Amino acid sequence: MTEKTILFEQVGRVATITLNRPTSMNAINLEMMKELGDCFEELHHQHEIQVVILKGQGKAFSSGGDIKGMIQGDLDLEDAMTLVARYTRLLYTLPKIVIAQVHGAAAGLGLSTALASDYVIAEETAKIAMNFIGIGLIPDGGGHFFMQERLGNVKAKQAIWAGEVMSGTKAQKIGLVDEIVSEGAVDEFVQSMVQRFSHAPLKAMIETKKILNERRLPELESILLKETEGQKKMRDTKDHMEGIRAFVEKRKPNFKGE
């Protein structure tokens, strides 16, 4: 199965999904959102696959949501939030062991997507950022849920508000990344994980995932709904308009809390 904005490959019990918009650092547009949702939905019914690798083509994992599409009016917020909620829910509940293989940037929605995985493996030089705050928005794609899950409530709030671009090394120290590897070595490391899993009781591992994740699913669904409502409000703020203008003009935004 090969889609326009994602690539899909299966080798035995392992599937690899590659975000495939390298010229935009794999920015997630409406088409990619839909194709990810369709792919994850299909994977729910492919019982022979037990491990999924999620990675990016080119120089980055994903730079986040398609801001250029937002500026040009190509990214309809209502459609986008519906599609994001769908693929996030399907990814989180996927009855497979999911490994996010991160190199380059994993920012905004791209980071939310990586954090929905069971393991996040990143190069030490990767650029990790929950940086919606930079354009006056709130995290989506379950970003609040996944940050809270990994950092705890207070540290999640502080990290979201800071919007810091962290190295893979720092992200691993605070708990956003599970393992770091040297630049250029992430593919080899993930393949070694897959090799170990080939001799592991994967059905038992997946059953544990289902028990723990299904218990938290109502909370994720609630947060996805609140993110949709909140993002609509933020799109109408003066701070968001200033954030977008600053992005286009490549300058620091002058927010006023409005």
Side-chain angles (χ1 to χ4, degrees):
M1 169 180 142
T2 302
E3 301 285 0
K4 188 177 178 182
T5 66
I6 66 172
L7 304 175
F8 182 95
E9 180 184 12
Q10 179 182 350
V11 178
R13 294 184 290 166
V14 180
T16 300
I17 299 168
T18 305
L19 308 181
N20 189 40
R21 298 187 70 218
T23 58
S24 64
M25 294 179 67
N26 300 314
I28 304 173
N29 62 2
L30 289 176
E31 186 178 2
M32 185 183 285
M33 293 170 190
K34 183 178 186 306
E35 290 178 1
L36 282 171
D38 291 346
C39 183
F40 295 146
E41 185 169 13
E42 184 174 331
L43 279 169
H44 271 260
H45 305 291
Q46 292 187 2
H47 303 297
E48 71 278 12
I49 294 173
Q50 294 180 304
V51 178
V52 173
I53 301 168
L54 185 60
K55 65 180 186 177
Q57 189 83 285
K59 297 181 179 180
F61 177 80
S62 172
S63 59
D66 188 7
I67 296 177
K68 289 184 179 179
M70 187 187 303
I71 294 167
Q72 296 165 359
D74 299 331
L75 191 67
D76 180 88
L77 181 66
E78 192 80 34
D79 289 346
M81 295 303 290
T82 298
L83 291 169
V84 166
R86 175 186 176 232
Y87 88 67
T88 300
R89 189 182 302 107
L90 287 164
L91 173 57
Y92 183 68
T93 58
L94 199 59
K96 328 284 179 191
I97 305 302
V98 182
I99 306 168
Q101 177 178 312
V102 176
H103 74 291
L109 181 56
L111 179 56
S112 296
T113 302
L115 295 179
S117 305
D118 303 302
Y119 294 94
V120 180
I121 314 300
E123 293 182 353
E124 58 192 8
T125 55
K127 295 180 179 179
I128 310 294
M130 190 59 77
N131 57 349
F132 291 87
I133 199 76
I135 55 170
L137 294 179
I138 61 171
D140 52 33
H144 292 90
F145 175 86
F146 299 122
M147 293 287 281
Q148 184 186 56
E149 194 170 51
R150 282 179 169 263
L151 303 183
N153 194 62
V154 171
K155 293 299 183 184
K157 286 186 294 187
Q158 293 172 358
I160 290 167
W161 293 339
E164 178 186 356
V165 180
M166 294 173 275
S167 66
T169 301
K170 181 168 183 179
Q172 193 265 343
K173 284 180 180 177
I174 69 169
L176 284 181
V177 166
D178 298 302
E179 298 282 352
I180 55 167
V181 297
S182 59
E183 187 172 357
V186 68
D187 186 69
E188 181 181 354
F189 185 90
V190 170
Q191 290 304 314
S192 71
M193 288 183 68
V194 170
Q195 182 61 31
R196 291 197 303 273
F197 287 151
S198 69
H199 302 291
L202 284 167
K203 285 189 175 182
M205 292 172 66
I206 291 166
E207 192 65 23
T208 288
K209 173 179 178 174
K210 288 165 67 175
I211 290 169
L212 294 177
N213 285 23
E214 286 177 10
R215 184 181 67 85
R216 304 274 331 261
L217 183 58
E219 183 179 350
L220 173 60
E221 290 178 332
S222 174
I223 285 180
L224 287 168
L225 179 60
K226 291 180 186 301
E227 287 177 347
T228 297
E229 295 169 348
Q231 210 68 296
K232 290 177 184 177
K233 296 177 189 175
M234 296 308 102
R235 285 293 295 272
D236 293 330
T237 64
K238 292 180 181 179
D239 279 345
H240 173 58
M241 293 299 103
E242 166 61 11
I244 289 294
R245 282 194 298 268
F247 176 83
V248 173
E249 296 167 9
K250 298 182 179 180
R251 61 172 173 81
K252 186 176 180 179
N254 181 26
F255 294 130
K256 297 182 179 180
E258 299 177 350

